[in-house]
Amino acid sequence: MAFNIETSAVASATSTCWAAAAPITDTLNRSASTARKRVEKGEIALGEDIMSDNLRSYTIRLDNGLSFPCVEHGNPAATPLLLLHGYTDSWRSFEPVLQKFPASVRAIAFTQRGHGEAGKPAEGYNPRDFASDAVALLDRLGIGRAVIAGHSMGSFVAQRIAIDHPDRVAGLVLEGSFPTMTGNAGVDELWREVEHFTDPVKRDFAFAFQSSTLAQPIPRALLETFVDESLKTPARIWKSALRGLMDVDHTAELTLIRAPTLVMWGAADALFPRSDQDVLLARIPNAQLSLYDRAGHSIHWEEPLRFASDVAAFVEARTTSQQAA
């Protein structure tokens, strides 16, 4: 099950894409005013590129000196959902779903280090580095606990957060996830290409890479947006981020995850097989599977309405259980 990374795949991909802790409420009641104060102090910069009245964009600068573009949707006092994108993506990976969440979910998507318009340090691209950024971002926003949802690389970072910072995680959503990349032929094939990258990364490769995550058509313009975002990732970070993922195995630590977990998997995922999902389900104590029969690796691109509905239901169930506790 290898990535379709041959340049010859671009033509067929093109035609396909044309085809179609304290209770949460205690913290949330304070988060909006806390955020406003931090805007006034210059710790949070409001963005000018606000795409609609329902989306809010801003940039957060953390104590490590890195800046992170953020976009959110929903009531600022609602249950927070932190969305972590995949390898070489950005917050825009979640653009198709952000406005599909109900106002009762405060959905926050941000661009992780090295990607998109985020800061790009010379080093620090292992899962713990990404996880530390996410927790620091929650701190900056005044959010004590959140549901953490990640896609692909983002799901591995989400696992790391749940393992290292269990008090910050009210629930965990793992989309297109895996316990380890060891022995994965598709990842090994990708690495054999990426390890030789130099700037600029070729658009044909990025297009083929993103297309390989799909089993169902998405709008061509949307795919091109994702390719554009991938090309903002320098060659050195294509290498270091992938190597960082490949060098870590979470299998033995999954039993430490205590948060209720939703494992979302597309049956046509060409990268991470059902056997990976079975490991997650067997080792994470309170995990359940949401199966998408026709989807590939990028469920939220292929079936955004169902994805948003399923995640929102999971988030709201966590809210209810926290309020009852």
Side-chain angles (χ1 to χ4, degrees):
M1 291 184 295
F3 271 113
N4 181 11
I5 56 177
E6 296 297 326
T7 303
S8 60
V10 173
S12 60
T14 301
S15 60
T16 298
C17 292
W18 273 110
I24 289 177
T25 50
D26 291 349
T27 299
L28 292 176
N29 289 334
R30 298 190 298 269
S31 64
S33 60
T34 300
R36 282 194 295 272
K37 291 177 182 176
R38 285 175 171 155
V39 169
E40 293 169 1
K41 291 168 63 179
E43 295 173 341
I44 301 176
L46 293 179
E48 296 178 357
D49 183 21
I50 298 178
M51 290 149 288
S52 79
D53 292 340
N54 297 318
L55 290 178
R56 301 177 296 281
S57 70
Y58 49 90
T59 297
I60 288 183
R61 186 177 178 85
L62 298 181
D63 291 340
N64 60 15
L66 300 180
S67 295
F68 299 86
C70 306
V71 175
E72 66 172 86
H73 173 270
N75 186 336
T79 304
L81 167 68
L82 188 66
L83 298 162
L84 306 176
H85 62 76
Y87 175 63
T88 78
D89 290 329
S90 71
W91 75 262
R92 299 200 70 171
S93 176
F94 293 103
E95 195 168 7
V97 298
L98 274 172
Q99 294 191 81
K100 293 177 173 59
F101 289 114
S104 57
V105 173
R106 182 187 178 186
I108 306 165
F110 79 102
T111 301
Q112 299 184 80
R113 64 166 60 201
H115 295 71
E117 305 295 340
K120 297 175 173 62
E123 57 185 11
Y125 292 97
N126 65 59
R128 273 202 168 94
D129 295 316
F130 289 111
S132 294
D133 289 340
V135 172
L137 186 138
L138 291 177
D139 289 342
R140 189 70 87 199
L141 290 173
I143 296 173
R145 302 183 76 207
V147 175
I148 310 295
H151 170 234
S152 196
M153 179 192 83
S155 75
F156 206 61
V157 175
Q159 292 175 32
R160 193 72 253 163
I161 297 170
I163 293 167
D164 291 344
H165 307 275
D167 57 318
R168 308 304 297 271
V169 183
L172 194 62
V173 179
L174 306 177
E175 177 198 357
S177 196
F178 53 95
T180 178
M181 287 183 168
T182 301
N184 186 303
V187 172
D188 291 342
E189 179 184 343
L190 179 62
W191 174 249
R192 286 193 292 271
E193 295 285 340
V194 168
E195 67 175 330
H196 301 295
F197 271 12
T198 58
D199 289 316
V201 174
K202 294 180 180 177
R203 187 176 190 86
D204 282 356
F205 185 95
F207 188 97
F209 168 69
Q210 293 290 20
S211 299
S212 73
T213 69
L214 301 169
Q216 299 179 92
I218 66 172
R220 173 61 181 270
L222 195 60
L223 178 61
E224 294 289 359
T225 294
F226 300 147
V227 173
D228 289 341
E229 294 301 295
S230 283
L231 293 176
K232 295 177 182 178
T233 305
R236 65 180 177 88
I237 298 172
W238 278 76
K239 298 175 189 179
S240 55
L242 181 56
R243 192 71 252 174
L245 293 169
M246 295 174 71
D247 289 344
V248 177
D249 186 341
H250 284 170
T251 304
E253 297 179 279
L254 292 174
T255 56
L256 300 175
I257 295 176
R258 290 293 177 261
T261 301
L262 180 64
V263 176
M264 309 180 83
W265 182 68
D269 190 328
L271 182 58
F272 298 118
R274 176 60 189 258
S275 58
D276 280 346
Q277 316 314 305
D278 290 340
V279 172
L280 297 173
L281 293 165
R283 296 193 64 82
I284 299 175
N286 189 10
Q288 59 180 309
L289 177 68
S290 180
L291 176 63
Y292 290 69
D293 291 327
R294 294 180 296 174
H297 185 58
S298 298
I299 296 169
H300 65 296
W301 296 353
E302 298 178 50
E303 300 189 31
L305 281 171
R306 180 183 164 191
F307 173 88
S309 177
D310 289 349
V311 173
F314 180 78
V315 172
E316 289 171 357
R318 306 286 73 72
T319 306
T320 301
S321 64
Q322 288 291 325
Q323 290 172 341

